[in-house]
Amino acid sequence: MIPFLSLKDVTTLHGEEINEAVSRVIKNGWYLQGKENEKFEENYSKFIGTKYTIGCANGLDALILIFRAYIEIGVMKPGDEIIVPANTFIATILAITETGLKPVLCEPKFNTLEIDDDKIEELITRKTKAIVIVHLYGRIAYTEKIGQLCKKNNLKLVEDNAQAHGCIYRTPNHRQWITGSIGDAAGHSFYPGKNLGALGDGGAVTTNDPELATIIRALANYGSQKKYIFKHTGRNSRLDEIQAAVLDVKLKYLLEDNAHRKEVAKYYIEHLNHPSVTLPDTLPYEQNAFHLFPILCTHRDALHVYLEKNEVGTIIHYPVPPHKQECYKEWNILSLPITEHIANHELSLPIGPTITVKEVSQIVNLINQFS
């Protein structure tokens, strides 16, 4: 069996150091808001390239906290519009509606699967306050055009970096940015299956805005900056010390692990050859974090079953797009053909830091023989 991703094997890669880190936390007897959080936040800020990292409970909370903080500051208010890609995991949308803001869905480009920067401007109104970009599958979603639209219309740029730890953006003049440092604020998820994954749920916000960072940290701690004094109506959303210690270990190896993902992706790109399979653009190749390796297949469901029968794990991301979900039934009548096409044809192949070239070769051979 070739699993889609073996979390046990991923943890074993750095198991000795992870065990030491967990044991250290247990022996210290301090489990929340301690030195492990401080250390990880400092190191993650250095890695991302921002002044501030605020750990929180998960990636959804990270995005909610960003919007809550902007509302507290007065930059946004309930009913304001947020432009967001229609092709995304539902958490991106939930964070907007949770805070009383209005999502405005924008189609992706078919060749990149990321938000179509040519379709954003027509969606901007006087009520628009931000553009959310989602670096989906570990691909860069930012473009210079998006940055110019934000500047021109005085909009906040919020990054959903849940799937793109270590993804790189290079400007036309060759400056380099790590995703999570490009916008005004970014939400990160450390769900176990991510490129930088914890041993449970975890998340963070990164930003260079000191006021935003201060308010987010308070909101994540019941709304408190001082014990038993509550300036905001907050929530309990904290990254625990064990997860922070584990993440700090794995952060050291993130680029190395991503490099292996790139080698796997390169093999897929160079050897997959089936008339019903389309590969989305992977250029610029070196900038992609390859959290997932999505393909589009005209016989997706049959290929999915075929690979499962041949003991290869695959996952469909995502079979029902947000605007077709029951929880957003008011959107069910919307027609977003590109998003819907992707939902009907996408299949993610195994990729990760532990899969071997031999296993990838087996998968490629199976797909190329599919009939």
Side-chain angles (χ1 to χ4, degrees):
M1 177 68 185
I2 302 174
F4 181 74
L5 180 68
S6 170
L7 293 177
K8 181 179 178 181
D9 290 347
V10 170
T11 303
T12 300
L13 267 182
H14 315 298
E16 187 174 332
E17 288 183 69
I18 288 172
N19 284 331
E20 289 174 0
V22 172
S23 296
R24 181 176 68 246
V25 175
I26 293 171
K27 289 176 182 177
N28 286 343
W30 192 284
Y31 306 125
L32 286 169
Q33 296 180 305
K35 291 183 179 179
E36 299 294 346
N37 262 267
E38 291 176 6
K39 181 183 175 186
F40 172 68
E41 289 180 355
E42 180 181 351
N43 288 336
Y44 198 60
S45 288
K46 288 177 182 177
F47 177 81
I48 296 293
T50 57
K51 293 179 182 177
Y52 308 101
T53 292
I54 306 98
C56 62
N58 53 67
L60 173 57
D61 276 8
L63 292 172
I64 289 172
L65 289 165
I66 291 169
F67 292 122
R68 274 291 313 275
Y70 276 132
I71 290 171
E72 292 285 331
I73 292 170
V75 171
M76 300 174 189
K77 64 182 183 301
D80 283 340
E81 296 174 352
I82 310 295
I83 296 173
V84 61
N87 180 42
T88 185
F89 181 56
I90 200 168
T92 318
I93 313 292
L94 290 172
I96 299 170
T97 56
E98 169 81 8
T99 48
L101 300 164
K102 180 182 177 182
V104 177
L105 305 180
C106 182
E107 284 267 63
K109 287 186 175 179
F110 182 74
N111 63 320
T112 67
L113 311 183
E114 307 293 340
I115 193 168
D116 189 341
D117 58 3
D118 291 328
K119 295 182 177 179
I120 293 175
E121 190 163 19
E122 65 192 45
L123 300 174
I124 297 174
T125 72
R126 61 181 180 80
K127 297 187 72 174
T128 306
K129 297 300 179 183
I131 298 171
V132 175
I133 54 173
V134 183
H135 305 295
L136 202 63
Y137 316 112
R139 300 159 175 265
I140 184 72
Y142 179 77
T143 66
E144 290 294 308
K145 186 171 184 177
I146 292 173
Q148 291 163 4
L149 285 171
C150 288
K151 187 175 181 181
K152 175 183 174 182
N153 296 281
N154 193 29
L155 304 177
K156 294 298 182 183
L157 179 62
V158 176
E159 297 174 76
D160 182 337
N161 200 51
Q163 298 187 4
H165 311 106
C167 184
I168 298 167
Y169 174 70
R170 290 198 178 98
T171 66
N173 61 356
H174 305 295
R175 290 188 67 191
Q176 180 169 298
W177 302 83
I178 300 289
T179 54
S181 67
I182 300 170
D184 295 286
H188 306 253
S189 168
F190 304 126
Y191 181 78
K194 301 298 171 65
N195 290 37
L196 181 61
L199 299 185
D201 272 322
V205 175
T206 54
T207 184
N208 286 316
D209 184 332
E211 182 182 15
L212 193 74
T214 298
I215 293 176
I216 287 172
R217 193 174 293 281
L219 287 170
N221 186 37
Y222 300 99
S224 173
Q225 292 171 292
K226 182 179 179 181
K227 196 168 185 179
Y228 301 131
I229 305 299
F230 303 95
K231 186 176 181 180
H232 314 279
T233 53
R235 62 200 295 136
N236 177 14
S237 182
R238 298 175 296 200
L239 183 67
D240 71 64
E241 288 286 276
I242 287 178
Q243 302 306 339
V246 169
L247 289 166
D248 202 53
V249 169
K250 296 178 79 172
L251 179 60
K252 295 186 295 183
Y253 301 100
L254 177 58
L255 293 181
E256 179 184 323
D257 291 346
N258 281 358
H260 183 78
R261 289 175 179 271
K262 292 177 185 182
E263 288 302 311
V264 172
K266 184 178 179 182
Y267 193 95
Y268 280 137
I269 293 163
E270 292 179 350
H271 295 88
L272 278 173
N273 182 24
H274 192 283
S276 70
V277 172
T278 302
L279 300 183
D281 288 351
T282 52
L283 298 174
Y285 174 84
E286 68 279 1
Q287 298 180 41
N288 197 325
F290 288 107
H291 169 59
L292 300 172
F293 192 89
I295 63 173
L296 300 179
C297 182
T298 53
H299 306 290
R300 189 269 308 280
D301 293 342
L303 178 60
H304 180 53
V305 171
Y306 164 77
L307 289 173
E308 291 288 340
K309 285 182 176 178
N310 283 277
E311 299 190 318
V312 174
T314 58
I315 294 179
I316 297 169
H317 294 94
Y318 301 95
V320 182
H323 73 284
K324 294 297 183 183
Q325 297 285 352
E326 186 177 353
C327 63
Y328 292 121
K329 56 180 177 292
E330 66 273 19
W331 294 342
N332 290 174
I333 61 172
L334 291 178
S335 175
L336 296 168
I338 299 174
T339 296
E340 291 160 24
H341 180 90
I342 294 168
N344 291 329
H345 294 83
E346 193 277 346
L347 186 67
S348 296
L349 304 182
I351 193 168
T354 61
I355 192 170
T356 67
V357 174
K358 181 180 178 181
E359 288 172 326
V360 179
S361 176
Q362 288 177 259
I363 296 167
V364 167
N365 289 335
L366 283 168
I367 293 173
N368 288 344
Q369 294 167 17
F370 171 64
S371 60

